Amino acid sequence: MIIRIIIACVLIWTVGQPAAARADEQVYQAPDAFLAAAFGGSVPAAQALWIEPALRAELVDRYGWQPGLRVRFWRQEQRTAWILDEVGKDKPITAGFLIVNGAIEQAEVLVFRESRGWEIRHSFFTSQFSRAALTPRGDLDRRIDGITGATLSVRAMERMARVALKLHEQSQRTTLAQHP
């Protein structure tokens, strides 16, 4: 009888917990906090970059990234911020990228949901993306050192970095086309 009471209490406690507390989700920095830091506390209004067919094909074929119809971003002059999701092994990783004049100024893992590879959140890894830009072929202009046991998470971050740079480039073209 006591065992049934204990089991019932554990089940009630577990069901009563918020979903985020039950999941294997680690929030290292809230997206709003990332944006506030990126723009010195004065976050510009979100904008949408519509993914045209040619850009969609490039993102899928060259970068291995499946976009939606549009991607939200934040812009202040030549500075853009992107919050992207990419699956590592089984679950999405959410990362923030701050791009200035076509190069990554800051890369941060915001939310990590995988069971392995969480080491990519540390600055010894993310600092490798600092000042990274795209080559004409769409690769990063530097080699990113991997982490043993975190290969899929590392690849996801590299993909998101390349995509953020490409989207930044496209957002700058779109702005120039809209405001000659």
Side-chain angles (χ1 to χ4, degrees):
M1 181 68 166
I2 292 178
I3 292 177
R4 285 185 185 174
I5 292 172
I6 292 172
I7 290 172
C9 288
V10 169
L11 286 175
I12 290 170
W13 181 80
T14 302
V15 172
Q17 295 298 307
R22 288 193 313 255
D24 289 333
E25 181 173 279
Q26 294 295 317
V27 178
Y28 298 117
Q29 185 177 27
D32 290 343
F34 171 79
L35 292 170
F39 293 104
S42 179
V43 179
Q47 299 180 37
L49 177 64
W50 290 90
I51 307 299
E52 301 294 330
L55 178 58
R56 177 177 303 286
E58 185 175 5
L59 291 170
V60 171
D61 297 341
R62 184 179 286 182
Y63 299 96
W65 193 69
Q66 295 287 334
L69 294 175
R70 62 186 176 190
V71 179
R72 281 181 11 146
F73 72 102
W74 295 259
R75 175 185 15 232
Q76 190 175 63
E77 298 174 8
Q78 297 298 313
R79 174 183 295 253
T80 61
W82 304 85
I83 296 177
L84 304 174
D85 289 313
E86 181 66 13
V87 173
K89 180 179 180 186
D90 299 314
K91 298 178 183 176
I93 299 166
T94 302
F97 295 89
L98 177 61
I99 301 176
V100 179
N101 295 322
I104 295 173
E105 184 173 291
Q106 181 181 6
E108 296 290 336
V109 176
L110 304 178
V111 183
F112 193 82
R113 298 170 188 90
E114 295 281 3
S115 60
R116 297 189 157 163
W118 54 267
E119 298 89 348
I120 66 168
R121 79 187 254 326
H122 292 293
S123 63
F124 73 81
F125 176 74
T126 58
S127 65
Q128 295 180 86
F129 291 96
S130 182
R131 295 184 304 281
L134 286 179
T135 67
R137 291 187 44 206
D139 298 319
L140 292 177
D141 66 356
R142 65 197 58 218
R143 184 178 184 284
I144 303 297
D145 290 331
I147 300 171
T148 302
T151 303
L152 297 176
S153 297
V154 168
R155 288 181 185 162
M157 277 296 285
E158 288 176 318
R159 253 189 323 277
M160 286 189 284
R162 292 188 348 254
V163 166
L165 287 163
K166 180 62 184 178
L167 293 173
H168 171 84
E169 179 182 291
Q170 188 67 33
S171 74
Q172 298 303 308
R173 286 186 193 142
T174 302
T175 300
L176 293 175
Q178 289 176 351
H179 306 288

